Structure formats: C-alpha cells, structure tokens
Amino acid sequence: MATQAEKIIDWAKSKVGSGKWSGLCQKFVREAYEAGGIHGSAINATLAWNKWGVSTSKKNIPVCAAVYFRGTNAVVGHVALYIGN
C-alpha cells in the first residue's frame, strides 16, 4: 500500500506537463495533498506567504512540504511541493 507521501508525489508527477494549474499553484498543492488524503482550508497561501514561518535554509526540507516563495511584486508569491532531490 502506498504511503500518504507516495500518493501525493505520484499524483503531482502524473500532472507534469498539464497546463490545468497555470497560475494556480496553491490549488495544485492543495489537490496534491487531497490526493494523499489530507484535506484542509482552501486559503490562498500565495497571497498569505508572509503569514507563514520563513526559513532561508534549503537543508532538510521534508518530502511533501509546501515551499513558499516571495513574488516579484511582493504581494503575490508562489507555492510549490517539495518531492525530494
């Protein structure tokens, strides 16, 4: 049986090349988590990046962690899913 992390990563990898989520990074990450059985708030994390803890370290990022980036206009950011290596 696949682990929760494996389900999330498999779902995300299966969407590579799809344009469905263009400009919808938070929705992509949320749907990946849902594919792994994690359900939660639909808060637009890309607009609220500065409300989350910030780390400048790229070491020891947990697999399946949501990784947030500041946007170039300092209002809208970006969120991605760390799948390892």
Side-chain angles (χ1 to χ4, degrees):
M1 180 184 271
T3 67
Q4 198 169 43
E6 289 169 335
K7 289 177 186 176
I8 293 167
I9 292 168
D10 289 346
W11 183 91
K13 285 182 174 181
S14 76
K15 306 307 178 196
V16 171
S18 171
K20 180 179 177 182
W21 293 273
S22 181
L24 302 171
C25 56
Q26 189 275 335
K27 183 177 180 182
F28 178 86
V29 171
R30 180 177 48 87
E31 289 184 17
Y33 284 152
E34 288 173 352
I38 299 171
H39 302 277
S41 171
I43 186 171
N44 189 337
T46 60
L47 293 174
W49 61 267
N50 59 340
K51 295 182 181 4
W52 296 87
V54 178
S55 173
T56 58
S57 175
K58 295 178 185 174
K59 296 178 181 179
N60 302 320
I61 299 172
V63 171
C64 294
V67 180
Y68 297 87
F69 303 88
R70 278 194 183 104
T72 56
N73 63 9
V75 174
V76 177
H78 179 66
V79 61
L81 184 65
Y82 181 71
I83 63 170
N85 296 326

